[in-house]
Amino acid sequence: MDLYQELILEHSKRPHGAGLREGHDAEVHHVNPTCGDEVTLRVHVEGAGAGARIADISYEATGCSISTASTSILATEVTGEEIAEAMRTHAAMRHMLTSKGEDPGDEEVIGDGVALAGVAKYPARVKCALLGWMALTDALAQAGVDVTATEGEQA
């Protein structure tokens, strides 16, 4: 458990992919109205069809350590991935976080995201942890990527 807390703190203090970069296909701004956490996320997609991949994710996040850490983990885990794989990671993360503690997460699928498994026991914090992930699907949709084909799949 201490390792997980350290991972969350590390991603929160030194977020990976932070800072908005140019060369993006879409930009979205999401707010969690229950706590005030905010994220502006940019995504750049390369390729098309089944081979399309997330070439870059950049963001600015303000809010709690869970929100910031989760968005950092998102950038780490899905940058460079094909869209289908990124959506499987998204689905696994969402499933773990909404499981009320029943799903411990699969490190092979969500990497450092398993550090956030304990958040599932605190419903008010689940939205914090999902903020960046929901922004990603919105940004991909705005970039013209069909995320519905893989959204419900799990690895």
Side-chain angles (χ1 to χ4, degrees):
M1 203 55 153
D2 289 339
L3 172 63
Y4 290 160
Q5 289 174 347
E6 283 188 39
L7 277 171
I8 292 169
L9 290 174
E10 179 66 26
H11 275 283
S12 178
K13 289 179 183 176
R14 293 178 226 10
H16 304 180
L20 295 173
R21 290 183 289 283
E22 294 302 321
H24 56 281
D25 298 306
E27 176 180 306
V28 298
H29 181 78
H30 280 217
V31 177
N32 180 349
T34 57
C35 66
D37 290 350
E38 296 185 38
V39 65
T40 299
L41 185 137
R42 290 178 176 172
V43 65
H44 173 60
V45 177
E46 289 182 348
R53 67 180 187 84
I54 298 173
D56 188 43
I57 293 174
S58 64
Y59 62 92
E60 283 184 353
T62 57
C64 69
S65 59
I66 290 172
S67 176
T68 302
S70 186
T71 305
S72 174
I73 290 166
L74 160 77
T76 300
E77 297 302 326
V78 303
T79 300
E81 294 291 329
E82 289 187 356
I83 301 298
E85 185 61 31
M87 290 298 91
R88 281 190 286 279
T89 302
H90 176 278
M93 191 73 173
R94 187 180 64 229
H95 184 268
M96 178 190 74
L97 289 168
T98 59
S99 74
K100 298 182 179 169
E102 297 295 315
D103 178 1
D106 183 346
E107 190 172 1
E108 293 292 317
V109 179
I110 61 175
D112 285 356
V114 297
L116 295 165
V119 172
K121 296 177 184 175
Y122 304 94
R125 303 307 303 269
V126 170
K127 286 183 180 179
C128 300
L130 284 174
L131 186 64
W133 295 86
M134 301 313 286
L136 173 65
T137 57
D138 189 17
L140 287 171
Q142 286 190 24
V145 175
D146 179 12
V147 296
T148 59
T150 55
E151 232 176 19
E153 293 178 16
Q154 295 228 6

